[in-house]
C-alpha cells in the first residue's frame, strides 16, 4: 500500500502555495473582505498555474493534483470557490453543495459561474436564482442565498460522483486550513511568554497542541484514503467515503479551532492575526450546507444502507 | 500515487489465517486468558500450528524460523489476530519484540538458544519492567543484580507482569550500577522463571486471568551467558524494545469487527437503538478507519526506512482512545447484557463485555496516554 500523494501532486501543491504567497498570501483574503470584488482576479491567478485544466473526474493522478491545490488554497482560506469549480464539469462551471430544494446559503454563489448544485446524497439541482452580492456577516463573508430546483432522473438527477468529488475536495480545503492553524498555534506558543516561560513549557498547552496535531493527522490520512476511493470504488462507496471525510473534517475542525483560539488568547480574535480570519472562513465549510451533527446523521444513514469498507466489513464470525 | 489496495498476497494471507483459525479455534473463543484452562490450551496449539507453517514469526528471517515477511504482511497478521481475540495468547510478546531484540543484540549462542522456541510456538516470555515505584518512570527501577561466580543474583520485585505465571522466560531489567543511577547502570537479563527464588503471584483484576501479576526475586540466578548486550547498557536495548513495540496491538481491528457485526448481532432489536446511539456507532466506525490509516502510515514509513517516534505516538493515542470510545458504544448497544451473561450463545455480548474490560488498560499499558502526548508535544513545541 502507498499512503503518500504522488510526487507530482506534492510538487504542484508546493508550487501553488509559493505562488499564492507571492500573490499576497493572506492579504488576498483581507482584500476580499473589504471588497468582495477582489475575489474575481483570483481566478486568473490560479489559471496561470493551469489549475482550471485539472479534472478530478479524469483519473487518480489529476484528483491527487486537485487535492494538493485545494489544500494550498485552504491554508490561506483563499476567497474563491476552487473546490466548487474543480468539481464542476465543463469550463466556467461550478457546483455548490446544498442541503435541500429551495433556498440555501452558499459561499461564492454570487460569482458569475455556470452554477448547478448537489446535496450530500448526490441528488442534483439546477440553480434558479443566485444572490447578486454576498451578505454582510462576520462568519458568512462571501455567502449569499441560492434557490435550487431538484433535477429529474432523466436530466441527470443522480450526481453522486460530483457530490463525492466536491465533498472530498472541500475536505482537503479545510485540511489545509486546519493544518495552518496547528502550525501557527505551535509557533505562537513557542514565542509567547508568560510567567517567565514560553507557553509551550506548560504541559497543558503542549498536550493541547498535541491533540490538535493528532486531529489534523487523522484527518489527513482519511483525506488521502478518500481521494484514492474516488478513483477506485463504485459511486455508492465513493459517496459514503466522501461523506465520512466531510463529517470527520467538521469534527476535526471543532477540536483544532477551539484549541487555536484558546492558545492564542485574545490575539486569536484580532483580525491582524491570521488565525482569526482562518477561523471565520472555516464556517463556510463547517456550517454550510449543514453542521457536524446533521452531517454525521446523513453519514450514518448512508453507512447503515451501504456499509463502510474495511478488512472486517461484512465478516462472518470466524470464532 | 495513493494506493490502499490490498495485494493478492495480503488477501490470500487473510484467507489463509482465517481458515487456520476456523479449523483450530472453537466458536465462542474469547482469548486465552480466561479461567478455563482449555482456552490456554487452544492458544498453545494454535501457536504450534502457526509455527509449523512459519506464520507465527512470519516477519523474522528464515534462519530463525520466520518467513521473511514484509511489514505489510506482519500488519495483516496483527489485524487478524486481534480481531479474533488474539489466539496466540501470550506468545505475541516473544514474536513482536523479544525475538527481534535478541536478533539485534544477542550473541549467536543466545540467538540459537532462544529464537527457535519462539518461532515454533513453544515458549512464553514475560516482560520484567515495571515495579511498584517505577511505572511510567521506568528508570526509577530498583531490582538489583549482584555479580557472583558464573552469573548474577537478582533481588527485587516486578509488578503488572502479564503472563508471569505461565512464562518460561522473563526479559528482565535490573540495576547493576549504583542505586539511583536512572538510565545508567541498567542491564537486561534473560531469566529462567522456573527456579527457586522466583515467585509469581496473581493480581486479581478486572482485566481477566493472567494479565496482571507480581513477581518476587529472592537470590534468583542468571548465568553470564544470559546477559543480553553489555552490562550497564540496558537502556539502549530498552529503547529498541519500545521501537519494536512501535505499532503494537491492532486494536482497531477488533473495534471494526465488533462494530460491523453489531447490527446483525442485535437483529430485530437494532430497531430500538436510539438515533443518537446509531450516530455514535457510525462515528466510531469512522474513527476506526482513521486509526487503521494512522497504523498504515507508520507501516508505510517503516517499509521506506523512515522511523518517526512521534508518528507512532500519534497513532497510539488515536488507537487507544478509539478502543475506549468503541467499548462504550458497544456496551450501550448491548443494553443490560453489558454487565455480562452466562448464556454462552450470546457470543457478541460476551465479546463486548470482554472488550470493555480490556480496553480500560489501553491508555495505560505500553506507555500511558500522557507519555505519548508528551512525546508528540515535544516534537511540535520542544520542551
Amino acid at each position: 500500500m502507498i499512503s503518500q500523494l504522488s510526487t507530482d501532486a506534492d510538487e504542484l501543491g508546493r508550487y501553488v502555495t509559493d505562488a499564492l504567497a507571492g500573490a499576497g498570501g493572506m492579504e488576498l483574503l483581507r482584500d476580499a473582505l473589504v471588497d468582495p470584488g477582489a475575489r474575481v482576479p483570483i481566478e486568473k491567478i490560479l489559471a496561470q498555474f493551469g489549475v482550471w485544466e485539472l479534472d478530478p473526474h479524469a483519473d487518480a493522478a489529476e484528483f491527487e493534483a486537485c487535492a494538493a491545490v485545494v489544500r494550498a488554497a485552504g491554508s490561506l482560506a483563499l476567497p474563491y470557490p476552487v473546490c466548487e469549480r474543480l468539481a464542476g464539469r465543463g469550463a466556467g462551471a461550478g457546483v455548490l453543495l446544498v442541503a435541500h430544494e429551495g433556498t440555501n446559503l452558499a459561499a461564492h454563489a454570487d460569482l458569475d459561474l455556470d452554477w448547478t448544485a448537489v446535496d450530500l446524497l448526490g441528488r442534483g439541482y439546477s440553480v434558479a436564482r443566485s444572490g447578486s452580492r454576498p451578505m454582510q456577516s462576520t462568519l458568512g463573508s462571501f455567502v449569499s442565498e441560492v434557490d435550487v430546483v431538484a433535477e429529474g432522473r432523466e436530466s441527470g438527477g443522480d450526481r453522486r460522483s460530483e457530490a463525492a468529488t466536491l465533498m472530498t475536495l472541500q475536505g482537503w480545503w479545510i485540511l489545509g486550513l486546519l493544518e495552518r492553524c496547528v502550525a501557527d498555534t505551535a509557533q505562537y506558543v513557542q514565542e509567547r511568554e508568560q510567567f517567565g516561560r514560553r507557553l509551550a513549557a506548560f504541559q497543558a498547552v503542549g498536550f493541547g497542541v498535541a491533540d490538535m496535531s493528532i486531529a489534523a493527522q487523522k484527518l489527513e490520512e482519511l483525506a488521502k484514503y478518500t481521494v484514492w476511493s474516488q478513483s477506485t470504488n463504485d459511486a455508492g462507496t465513493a459517496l459514503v467515503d466522501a461523506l465520512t471525510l466531510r463529517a470527520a473534517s467538521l469534527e476535526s475542525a471543532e477540536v483544532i479551532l477551539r484549541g487555536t483560539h484558546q492558545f492564542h488568547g485574545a490575539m486569536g480574535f484580532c483580525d491582524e492575526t491570521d488565525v482569526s480570519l482562518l477561523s471565520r472562513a472555516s464556517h463556510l465549510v463547517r456550517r454550510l450546507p449543514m453542521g457536524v451533527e446533521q452531517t454525521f446523521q446523513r453519514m450514518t444513514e448512508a453507512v447503515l444502507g451501504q456499509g463502510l469498507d474495511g478488512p472486517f466489513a461484512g465478516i462472518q464470525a470466524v470464532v | 500515487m495513493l494506493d490502499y489496495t490490498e495485494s493478492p498476497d495480503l488477501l490470500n494471507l487473510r484467507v489463509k489465517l482465517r481458515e487456520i483459525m476456523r479449523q483450530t479455534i472453537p466458536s465462542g473463543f474469547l482469548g486465552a486468558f480466561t479461567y478455563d484452562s482449555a482456552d490456554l490450551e487452544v492458544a498453545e496449539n494454535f501457536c504450534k500450528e502457526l509455527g509449523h507453517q512459519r506464520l507465527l514469526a512470519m516477519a523474522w528471517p528464515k534462519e530463525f524460523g520466520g518467513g521473511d515477511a514484509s511489514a505489510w504482511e506482519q500488519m495483516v497478521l496483527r489485524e487478524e489476530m486481534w480481531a479474533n481475540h488474539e489466539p496466540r495468547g501470550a506468545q505475541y510478546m516473544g514474536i513482536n519484540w523479544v525475538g527481534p531484540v535478541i536478533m539485534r543484540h544477542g550473541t549467536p549462542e543466545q540467538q540459537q538458544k532462544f529464537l527457535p522456541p519462539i518461532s515454533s510456538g513453544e515458549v512464553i516470555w514475560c516482560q520484567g519492567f515495571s515495579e511498584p515505584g517505577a511505572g511510567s518512570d521506568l528508570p526509577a527501577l530498583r531490582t538489583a543484580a549482584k555479580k557472583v561466580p558464573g552469573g548474577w543474583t537478582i533481588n527485587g520485585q516486578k509488578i503488572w507482569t502479564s503472563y508471569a505465571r505461565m512464562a518460561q522466560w522473563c526479559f528482565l531489567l535490573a540495576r547493576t550500577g549504583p542505586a539511583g543511577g536512572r538510565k545508567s547502570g541498567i542491564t537486561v537479563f534473560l531469566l529462567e522463571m522456573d527456579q527457586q527464588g522466583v515467585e509469581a503471584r496473581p493480581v486479581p483484576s478486572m482485566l481477566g486471568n493472567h494479565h496482571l501479576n507480581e513477581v518476587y526475586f529472592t537470590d534468583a540466578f542468571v548465568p553470564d551467558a544470559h546477559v543480553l548486550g553489555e552490562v550497564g547498557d540496558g537502556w539502549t536495548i530498552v529503547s529498541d524494545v519500545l521501537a519494536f513495540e512501535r505499532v503494537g496491538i491492532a486494536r482497531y481491528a477488533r473495534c471494526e469487527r465488533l462494530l460491523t457485526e453489531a447490527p446483525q448481532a442485535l437483529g430485530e432489536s437494532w430497531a430500538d437503538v436510539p438515533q443518537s446511539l446509531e450516530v455514535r456507532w457510525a462515528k466510531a466506525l469512522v474513527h476506526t478507519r482513521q486509526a487503521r490509516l494512522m497504523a498504515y502510515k507508520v507501516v508505510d514509513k517503516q517499509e521506506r526506512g523512515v522511523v518517526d517516534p512521534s508518528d507512532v505516538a500519534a497513532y497510539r493515542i488515536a488507537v487507544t482512545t478509539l478502543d475506549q470510545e468503541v467499548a462504550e458504544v458497544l456496551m450501550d448497544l448491548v443494553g443490560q447484557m453489558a454487565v455480562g451473561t452466562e448464556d454462552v450463545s450470546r457470543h457478541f455480548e460476551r465479546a463486548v463485555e470482554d472488550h470493555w474490560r480490556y480496553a480500560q488498560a489501553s491508555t495505560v499499558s505500553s506507555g500511558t496516554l500522557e507519555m505519548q502526548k508528551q512525546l508528540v508535544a515535544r516534537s511540535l513545541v520542544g520542551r
Side-chain angles (χ1 to χ4, degrees), chain B residues 250-267:
Chain B
R251 298 178 188 275
Y252 57 84
R254 185 182 302 177
C255 290
E256 180 174 310
R257 183 185 164 178
L258 290 174
L259 286 169
T260 306
E261 281 182 5
Q264 187 178 0
L266 265 60

Side-chain angles (χ1 to χ4, degrees), chain A residues 1-311:
Chain A
M1 290 187 216
I2 301 170
S3 64
Q4 303 297 313
L5 284 179
S6 70
T7 309
D8 287 346
D10 256 350
E11 279 180 13
L12 177 61
R14 280 195 294 274
Y15 179 68
V16 171
T17 299
D18 291 345
L20 287 173
M26 288 294 292
E27 293 311 303
L28 293 169
L29 176 58
R30 287 193 170 87
D31 289 346
L33 287 170
V34 172
D35 171 16
R39 290 174 292 163
V40 177
I42 294 174
E43 193 259 355
K44 285 194 170 53
I45 296 174
L46 293 173
Q48 292 172 14
F49 317 136
V51 167
W52 307 126
E53 292 160 36
L54 293 172
D55 180 6
H57 305 285
D59 58 34
E62 294 215 18
F63 208 129
E64 287 192 27
C66 291
V69 167
V70 302
R71 186 186 203 169
S75 72
L76 302 172
L78 196 68
Y80 191 83
V82 185
C83 304
E84 292 75 6
R85 270 199 68 173
L86 287 172
R89 295 188 187 268
V95 59
L96 298 167
L97 195 63
V98 298
H100 46 64
E101 189 171 40
T103 303
N104 290 261
L105 293 180
H108 308 295
D110 63 303
L111 291 178
D112 186 19
L113 289 171
D114 185 12
W115 291 113
T116 62
V118 291
D119 66 18
L120 273 67
L121 297 180
R123 287 181 285 251
Y125 302 83
S126 59
V127 173
R129 176 190 72 90
S130 58
S132 59
R133 65 167 181 82
M135 64 184 186
Q136 299 290 321
S137 161
T138 305
L139 301 182
S141 301
F142 318 126
V143 172
S144 61
E145 282 190 352
V146 61
D147 290 340
V148 299
V149 177
E151 292 170 349
R153 281 199 184 279
E154 58 281 356
S155 55
D158 179 359
R159 293 167 60 191
R160 287 180 294 173
S161 176
E162 280 171 78
T165 297
L166 177 56
M167 286 192 284
T168 302
L169 290 177
Q170 287 186 341
W172 278 83
W173 188 91
I174 194 104
L175 173 66
L177 187 152
L178 296 176
E179 287 174 326
R180 174 68 188 273
C181 289
V182 174
D184 280 9
T185 304
Q187 183 176 350
Y188 182 77
V189 301
Q190 291 181 81
E191 293 172 351
R192 172 75 171 156
E193 285 195 9
Q194 287 288 266
F195 307 105
R197 291 195 278 171
R198 301 174 307 129
L199 292 189
F202 293 95
Q203 192 178 66
V205 173
F207 279 18
V209 176
D211 286 342
M212 291 166 62
S213 172
I214 290 162
Q217 290 181 55
K218 286 166 63 176
L219 182 59
E220 180 190 13
E221 295 311 307
L222 187 62
K224 289 188 285 188
Y225 178 89
T226 308
V227 163
W228 168 80
S229 172
Q230 301 311 304
S231 307
T232 307
N233 289 318
D234 59 78
T237 302
L239 182 67
V240 170
D241 287 346
L243 265 170
T244 65
L245 174 61
R246 184 171 191 82
S249 70
L250 303 190
E251 190 177 55
S252 290
E254 277 193 6
V255 171
I256 292 169
L257 287 161
R258 182 82 300 279
T260 298
H261 276 301
Q262 193 63 26
F263 297 127
H264 273 85
M267 283 300 295
F269 310 136
C270 302
D271 289 352
E272 67 183 73
T273 308
D274 289 349
V275 293
S276 173
L277 299 185
L278 292 169
S279 171
R280 286 165 55 180
S282 73
H283 292 276
L284 302 181
V285 172
R286 291 173 69 190
R287 312 300 176 193
L288 302 177
M290 60 186 66
V292 61
E293 291 307 320
Q294 286 182 303
T295 303
F296 265 114
Q297 181 62 50
R298 293 289 188 285
M299 187 208 83
T300 300
E301 289 159 10
V303 170
L304 281 168
Q306 172 97 18
L308 196 68
D309 267 5

Side-chain angles (χ1 to χ4, degrees), chain B residues 26-136:
Chain B
S27 73
F29 181 78
L30 287 178
F33 309 117
T34 67
Y35 291 92
D36 184 348
S37 58
D39 288 331
L40 196 55
E41 200 177 324
V42 166
E44 288 172 354
N45 290 336
F46 178 71
C47 284
K48 291 194 172 92
E49 178 59 33
L50 279 192
H52 173 68
Q53 299 199 36
R54 285 184 175 257
L55 292 173
L56 187 61
M58 61 187 305
W60 288 16
K62 284 188 173 155
E63 64 179 296
F64 296 127
D68 269 338
S70 68
W72 288 111
E73 287 170 307
Q74 185 72 356
M75 178 210 71
V76 164
L77 176 70
R78 275 199 300 269
E79 288 182 352
E80 291 297 326
M81 293 300 102
W82 197 250
N84 290 283
H85 307 286
E86 190 47 275
R88 295 174 301 177
Q91 295 199 32
Y92 77 88
M93 195 180 290
I95 298 153
N96 280 8
W97 62 266
V98 175
V101 168
I102 293 174
M103 278 180 228
R104 197 170 160 84
H105 296 277
T107 63
E109 292 76 19
Q110 288 170 338
Q111 290 170 354
Q112 285 308 313
K113 177 180 176 64
F114 292 113
L115 298 180
I118 296 176
S119 62
S120 59
E122 291 170 13
V123 71
I124 293 172
W125 283 77
C126 63
Q127 182 185 45
F129 280 23
S130 294
E131 298 180 3
S136 290

